[in-house]
Amino acid sequence: MHVVVTGGGGFLGSHLCDALLRRDDRVLCVDDFSTGNPENTAHLAGHPGFTFIRADVTDAFDVPGPVDAVAHLASPASPPDYHRRPLETLAVGSRGTENALRLAERHRARFVLASTSEVYGDPVVHPQREDYWGNVNPVGPRSVYDEAKRFAEALSTAYRRSLAVNVGIARIFNTYGPRMRPHDGRVVSTFIRQALDGEPLTIYGDGSQTRSFCYVDDLVRGIVSMIDSDLPGPVNLGNPSERTVRALAELVREATGSASGLDFRPLPVDDPARRRPVITRAQHQLGWFPLVTIEEGLRHTVEWFRSRHDRTPAERTAPEPVRR
Ligand code: NAD
Ligand code: UDP
């Protein structure tokens, strides 16, 4: 297959490029490196199946050659990133998604949207099934991301209904692994960096809020299955093993062997209290389920962070979340 991966220079996108190339697909990656990192795909330079185009997908774009599938991952994803780039986040979710959809339409290609569990907002229904409509504050600080993704889902669905584009929506739950930026502000990367630096782990609120953490290899397998299917979705992709943030801190301390203390900070505005995917749809319709336990996934991730430790002195201060 010829697959276009927008956001392929980012954390998930670069792993997706690797997975597609491993099975001999040809991959064309489009990224502006606004939150990605050229190092993520540096090992692919010179690979005969890999092409990179540096472009902002909010500008209309086309690509040379055939296109069988478009995987649209371009978007800031960590809360500090989308708080820092609110207008860009809305633009890439709306205009960027439409440009990617048009590309798929022109080439009669499969289109897979990287949506998010954030479409459920701070969910009042737990765990979350795909037929739950969510609880999103449209004017809160997270809305630039949540509403952009909800709009992207609506737009993708309209392209399916009105223009018969073969659209599939994947709702991705918190995913972690190698190539996360140590200073992206997300909880797993932050805790690991802090533990390796011997700093206290910053817990927002009392740490009783929950997330369900999926290892990147599992998640990417799910995205590849979505690319290969004709399922419209939405399909939840995530690991239903739910943990409190406090429990995650303990797991990271164990995985790193760190004696770091805990530093309790105020909870960011609208921080979802709990999150866990129901994945029966992915299990039944894609035959997908996660295989990697959090202990094993953290071991691989810590190993990778250790191998890069002290190589990123430029970005020392983690951005603070919005608290008002
Ligand atoms: P990331 O920030 O590492 O990757 C996003 C990539 O998109 C970056 O390389 C960035 O430079 C690129 N990008 C952003 N705006 C762009 C634009 N206008 N034009 C071209 N490229 C642009 O984040 P990630 O964790 O890899 O997330 C990838 C996708 O998966 C995002 O759409 C995100 O919303 C979604 N997602 C991720 C998670 C997660 O836990 N990692 C959870 C839910 C959804
Ligand atoms: N969090 C935390 N300390 C940090 C970073 C995040 O306690 O240094 C919390 C955050 O408040 C949230 C959870 O960890 O409750 C997951 O945060 P993340 O930004 O990774 O993902 P999201 O909130 O988008 O699910």
Side-chain angles (χ1 to χ4, degrees):
M1 283 175 87
H2 290 76
V3 186
V4 173
V5 180
T6 76
F11 160 51
L12 295 183
S14 62
H15 285 283
L16 177 61
C17 291
D18 286 345
L20 294 169
L21 289 168
R22 270 198 300 274
R23 62 176 208 175
D24 290 334
D25 286 348
R26 303 188 78 81
V27 174
L28 193 148
C29 166
V30 187
D31 203 297
D32 66 355
F33 289 132
S34 48
T35 61
N37 183 350
E39 275 189 30
N40 291 339
T41 52
H43 60 289
L44 299 177
H47 189 298
F50 183 71
T51 310
F52 182 86
I53 296 180
R54 186 164 188 156
D56 177 345
V57 298
T58 64
D59 300 326
F61 69 99
D62 204 355
V63 301
V67 179
D68 301 308
V70 177
H72 179 46
L73 279 75
S75 169
S78 93
D81 282 346
Y82 60 72
H83 290 143
R84 202 176 56 243
R85 303 176 61 80
L87 300 179
E88 293 87 345
T89 303
L90 285 159
V92 74
S94 53
R95 279 203 306 282
T97 301
E98 180 136 39
N99 288 333
L101 280 162
R102 283 189 179 141
L103 179 72
E105 188 202 2
R106 279 197 300 281
H107 291 270
R108 308 187 70 77
R110 169 75 167 159
F111 178 90
V112 172
L113 174 68
S115 186
T116 168
S117 52
E118 281 281 327
V119 300
Y120 302 121
D122 187 5
V124 295
V125 171
H126 191 76
Q128 292 79 54
R129 287 168 30 138
E130 291 88 346
D131 56 8
Y132 173 49
W133 293 352
N135 177 39
V136 171
N137 174 358
V139 293
R142 297 176 87 96
S143 67
V144 293
Y145 182 67
D146 300 8
E147 299 291 19
K149 290 289 186 178
R150 288 169 69 97
F151 180 83
E153 288 201 8
L155 190 65
S156 303
T157 305
Y159 265 70
R160 169 178 275 277
R161 291 202 181 116
S162 303
L163 300 170
V165 176
N166 184 5
V167 159
I169 296 170
R171 290 188 181 149
I172 302 168
F173 284 63
N174 298 61
T175 301
Y176 67 96
R179 300 188 195 152
M180 293 186 92
R181 282 163 29 235
H183 290 271
D184 71 0
R186 292 189 262 203
V187 69
V188 174
S189 38
T190 303
F191 283 181
I192 293 178
R193 175 181 53 78
Q194 291 168 333
L196 294 181
D197 283 345
E199 292 172 7
L201 275 46
T202 48
I203 295 194
Y204 299 159
D206 63 5
S208 63
Q209 71 272 34
T210 67
R211 295 294 186 272
S212 302
F213 298 99
C214 187
Y215 187 63
V216 62
D217 290 0
D218 281 335
L219 193 280
V220 164
R221 243 187 330 106
I223 299 282
V224 171
S225 302
M226 274 301 275
I227 291 173
D228 290 344
S229 82
D230 287 326
L231 282 184
V235 176
N236 287 340
L237 293 179
N239 191 322
S241 169
E242 183 182 3
R243 311 283 169 150
T244 63
V245 165
R246 180 70 207 255
L248 176 73
E250 293 308 329
L251 285 165
V252 169
R253 285 204 291 204
E254 280 163 29
T256 52
S258 163
S260 286
L262 303 179
D263 176 10
F264 289 86
R265 304 258 183 101
L267 193 66
V269 172
D270 293 342
D271 198 282
R274 52 198 185 154
R275 192 183 278 161
R276 171 156 57 102
V278 173
I279 60 163
T280 42
R281 191 176 281 185
Q283 280 177 305
H284 293 152
Q285 298 185 356
L286 293 173
W288 177 88
F289 50 89
L291 298 169
V292 181
T293 63
I294 189 143
E295 288 82 3
E296 188 187 348
L298 283 178
R299 216 169 32 247
H300 296 314
T301 311
V302 167
E303 219 170 274
W304 184 83
F305 271 69
R306 269 196 214 284
S307 72
R308 296 175 42 88
H309 196 226
D310 297 333
R311 281 182 48 202
T312 51
E315 206 188 2
R316 293 313 303 171
T317 315
E320 284 290 309
V322 173
R323 295 217 164 81
R324 285 194 303 280

